[in-house]
Amino acid sequence: MRADARVRRWSVAAGVVATMLVLTACSGQAPTDIAVTPTATGFGGQAPVDGTRNGIETVDGTTALQDVLAAMRSEPVVATGTVTELVPDPAAAKGSGDTVPGRAVRIDYRGTTEDSALRLSVGDVSLDARRRADDVWVSGNAAFAAQSGLAKVTSGRVCVPATSATVRDLAPFTEPDDLLRSMLGTGSDVTLHPGAVTGTGDDARVQIVVANGSSPIGSLVVSAVGEPVPYSFRASDTTGTVELSFADWGKSQDLGDPDHVVTDC
């Protein structure tokens, strides 16, 4: 099982982020609530592509992921979603395998890597981070103050460098492409399978099935026109669930100036 070293330093986040990565880094049973049957195989560049599409349905899964991540780095976006840990049901019979929702990560990200706003909750920790270039203004609740060592964040925004340990420990949530890469993991059993194009015009989409071994565990829906940016990622197994949505690609976000600043840069 893999865990992101950057996140392990933040003890409260570590368990939930590890759960997020379990979805694709460790084996698990196939989900029962995710419809991810490929509509067509797009392997090996066999499908014809007309001049209006980007051809993401014709490449192999490794190339598709590389192309999706590259497309995500250059455009503003609104990324929202929830990652929920599943834990053994204390009311169920021992060994039944029944689970109930446990801790959750809730993410609301807007903007670009140079100008962004992030609201994040991990279990009982909640925070707000407003970034401009090399400066990040953070605020949060008492649990975040204790974890970060920044006592004033409960009163307002505290400016810290983007290279600070506080900001590094928020990765991979500070950049949508890093978040998606971390959730998909790097396990050798994890494979992506682009399917057929559905929809027309600018609404054309490709469903990329995410599988662990022979079991489908989720789907990544990306644009079949222009840059292959993602619009949704859903995954589920016996350890947890992920639901992410991406919207407003390329649309400038009016984030405003950092408010309630108690310690400026």
Side-chain angles (χ1 to χ4, degrees):
M1 187 180 301
R2 187 178 65 88
D4 191 316
R6 297 169 301 177
V7 182
R8 279 200 296 259
R9 295 191 298 269
W10 194 21
S11 60
V12 173
V16 181
V17 173
T19 296
M20 180 172 67
L21 303 183
V22 161
L23 291 170
T24 53
C26 299
S27 60
Q29 297 176 9
T32 59
D33 60 345
I34 302 265
V36 293
T37 303
T39 52
T41 58
F43 308 141
Q46 299 300 314
V49 179
D50 64 34
T52 65
R53 303 209 306 265
N54 56 33
I56 194 71
E57 75 278 13
T58 71
V59 301
D60 62 86
T62 299
T63 302
L65 179 58
Q66 292 172 347
D67 290 347
V68 169
L69 294 175
M72 296 177 71
R73 298 184 191 113
S74 61
E75 297 284 353
V77 66
V78 174
T80 57
T82 303
V83 181
T84 305
E85 178 184 30
L86 295 178
V87 297
D89 185 352
K94 186 176 181 180
S96 67
D98 294 340
T99 59
V100 294
R103 295 173 296 177
V105 177
R106 294 181 175 85
I107 308 140
D108 186 320
Y109 173 97
R110 297 164 189 271
T112 68
T113 55
E114 293 296 311
D115 186 14
S116 66
L118 170 68
R119 291 183 179 178
L120 178 69
S121 66
V122 183
D124 62 350
V125 174
S126 63
L127 64 101
D128 188 303
R130 176 73 174 89
R131 178 171 183 169
R132 278 184 173 170
D134 295 330
D135 297 319
V136 182
W137 291 262
V138 294
S139 61
N141 64 1
F144 175 62
Q147 287 293 325
S148 65
L150 300 171
K152 292 184 178 180
V153 295
T154 58
S155 301
R157 294 187 186 273
V158 174
C159 185
V160 295
T163 56
S164 67
T166 298
V167 177
R168 289 199 307 271
D169 290 349
L170 298 181
F173 303 107
T174 54
E175 297 185 15
D177 60 308
D178 281 348
L179 176 60
L180 182 59
R181 182 191 296 109
S182 295
M183 284 194 291
L184 289 170
T186 58
S188 59
D189 289 339
V190 178
T191 53
L192 275 66
H193 307 277
V197 175
T198 59
T200 60
D202 291 341
D203 293 326
R205 301 286 186 265
V206 173
Q207 180 195 58
I208 300 176
V209 174
V210 180
N212 191 344
S214 60
S215 299
I217 58 174
S219 66
L220 176 66
V221 176
V222 305
S223 177
V225 178
E227 294 294 326
V229 293
Y231 284 93
S232 67
F233 174 63
R234 299 180 66 221
S236 176
D237 71 1
T238 56
T239 63
T241 62
V242 175
E243 291 197 15
L244 271 182
S245 296
F246 303 91
D248 293 338
W249 283 106
K251 295 182 180 180
S252 178
Q253 299 294 314
D254 184 9
L255 303 176
D257 294 330
D259 57 356
H260 305 296
V261 175
V262 295
T263 302
D264 212 343
C265 303

